[in-house]
């Protein structure tokens, strides 16, 4: 009988924001799998480190740092084959994923390759969106408000039109797109409603008004636009 | 010295989808606070029940079931005063909130009343949006895709225009708006991409194509529209 593949969300970075279920599955895992970026450390593994059993086998998927699709897809092909070998041998595999597996998570690439063949369970995790809101003390949406989640790499014009028609907005993956995004928000007259959050819930966390954001933003940074003024009172 | 107010997200319903931090704070709490709806059971308390220490004091905020704002706000006024009394006496208070406190969470009403006066820490939780996606095996967003979260009570025309311009969509709080929402999605020719999820992660969970959804939906139900066809491969 084949093993079960678990896609486990780890939350935003603070290991205490892992769910009890994620912790149980990781602690009991004989095989864990996770991506690393261009041979560097794995953020996912660093979140789970305290829970991984000594002696657990680790399948490392080394994903090259490029916006081209093919090299990354090749890395997931190789990873999926290694995971499938373990599943075929009857071993469960816990695939570690920062944040939530189905919310911009790398696990989707493994899921797409193996879900038709094997039993897969996805365990949701705390996303960076609500973590940034919590850390910045900015309620996101109440009552009948709408939330729009936009990736920072979108073209300037699309960002502008999406933000214009929105209520609360979370802009993910800010990184090297910071200047472009700030320009769009400033042009819309919304700069004083915008908060910048970097590495939410981690010791290196940065939270400040977008107007005071650092010149260089890491990939794991976000901009929140909330309408403010206590509409929920 | 005043106590600290914790607004703690409990996740979607399965107690194992609580975070380690939520579990630690609840287990150690001498005072917990939570809303009930019209004298009924508290969903938040039911999620946390296994973690609440025996002997903990409980502040129950009984929120009347009405769409009018004033009666509910009066209940939160009374609750906030009871919480403030404990904080003034130097006791920490853990306010229980299903899902995530700042994502349509009732804790926002307490936050709005007390955050200027007391130290408040918000602990994010797993939202129903990513839980429904996980349970329905439907990846939400990858790469540069956008996610739109819409409350079901929005007017029909607004729902239509928001869904039309969107990629992935999560429609929350479906409840008695099910027929209206289904009509909009059907009118847009998107019915076969729509999944209905009720009480995700709970034993009574229901997952089915929207076309086969039951006539009556509870408040805690959701419709997911995903673009399908493995765009992430």
């Amino acid at each position: 009988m084949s093993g079960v593949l678990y896609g486990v969300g780890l939350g935003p970075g603070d290991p205490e924001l892992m769910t009890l279920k994620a912790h149980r599955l990781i602690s009991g895992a004989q095989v864990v799998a996770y991506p690393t970026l261009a041979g560097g450390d794995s953020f996912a593994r660093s979140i789970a480190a305290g829970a991984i059993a000594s002696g657990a086998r680790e399948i490392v998927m080394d994903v090259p740092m490029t916006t081209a699709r093919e090299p990354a897809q090749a890395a997931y092909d190789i990873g999926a084959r290694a995971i499938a070998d373990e599943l075929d041998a009857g071993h469960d595999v816990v695939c570690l994923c920062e944040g939530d597996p189905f919310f911009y998570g790398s696990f989707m690439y493994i899921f797409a390759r193996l879900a038709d063949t094997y039993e897969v369970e996805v365990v949701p995790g705390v996303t960076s969106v609500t973590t940034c809101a919590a850390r910045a003390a900015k309620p996101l949406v109440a009552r009948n408000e709408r939330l729009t989640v936009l990736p920072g790499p979108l073209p300037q014009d699309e960002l502008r039109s999406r933000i214009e028609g929105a209520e609360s907005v979370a802009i993910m993956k800010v990184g090297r797109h910071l200047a472009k995004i700030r320009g769009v928000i400033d042009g819309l007259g919304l700069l004083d409603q915008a908060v910048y959050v970097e590495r939410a819930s981690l010791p290196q966390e940065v939270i400040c008004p977008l107007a005071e954001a650092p010149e260089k933003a890491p990939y794991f940074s976000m901009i929140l636009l909330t309408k403010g003024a206590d509409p929920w009172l």
Side-chain angles (χ1 to χ4, degrees), chain A:
Chain A
M1 229 177 69
S2 297
V4 178
L5 173 59
Y6 295 93
V8 173
L10 302 169
D14 176 354
E16 244 203 322
L17 293 178
M18 200 183 302
T19 62
L20 300 172
K21 185 165 187 174
H23 191 270
R24 172 175 62 81
L25 289 170
I26 296 164
S27 306
Q30 289 184 300
V31 187
V32 295
Y34 50 84
T36 59
L37 201 56
D41 289 340
S42 165
F43 182 38
R45 195 194 185 287
S46 75
I47 300 172
I52 297 173
S54 64
R57 289 192 295 287
E58 306 197 10
I59 297 172
V60 182
M61 294 173 273
D62 190 39
V63 181
M65 206 180 303
T66 160
T67 54
R69 284 197 176 197
E70 292 71 18
Q73 297 306 330
Y76 288 117
D77 283 340
I78 296 168
R81 274 198 295 272
I83 291 170
D85 286 344
E86 292 282 0
L87 297 171
D88 287 336
H91 306 140
D92 295 346
V93 177
V94 170
C95 197
L96 307 174
C97 190
E98 56 255 32
D100 180 279
F102 278 179
F103 186 75
Y104 302 108
S106 55
F107 180 70
M108 286 189 278
Y109 301 101
I110 299 302
F111 182 83
R113 285 163 172 77
L114 299 178
D116 287 344
T117 314
Y118 299 96
E119 186 184 340
V120 181
E121 182 178 346
V122 179
V123 179
V126 174
T127 69
S128 54
V129 173
T130 63
T131 305
C132 286
R135 299 296 305 156
K138 294 285 180 190
L140 271 178
V141 272
R143 300 182 178 281
N144 289 339
E145 294 175 343
R146 295 171 273 113
L147 172 66
T148 306
V149 181
L150 302 171
L154 288 177
Q156 183 166 321
D157 288 351
E158 184 172 356
L159 280 174
R160 187 183 299 109
S161 66
R162 296 284 164 198
I163 294 172
E164 243 179 333
E167 281 179 345
S168 283
V169 180
I171 305 169
M172 316 266 302
K173 310 182 186 188
V174 170
R176 60 196 174 80
H177 303 279
L178 176 60
K180 172 188 70 181
I181 302 165
R182 181 155 45 188
V184 167
I185 291 174
D186 199 12
L188 291 168
L190 299 172
L191 198 56
D192 56 358
Q193 287 169 239
V195 176
Y196 170 85
V197 186
E198 179 180 314
R199 304 184 200 278
S201 87
L202 289 168
Q204 321 91 296
E205 176 184 87
V206 174
I207 303 170
C208 64
L210 176 58
E212 299 164 20
E215 286 299 303
K216 274 186 172 281
Y219 179 80
F220 285 111
S221 54
M222 189 178 304
I223 293 168
L224 292 179
L225 274 165
T226 54
K227 294 286 157 176
D230 281 356
W232 38 84
L233 270 179

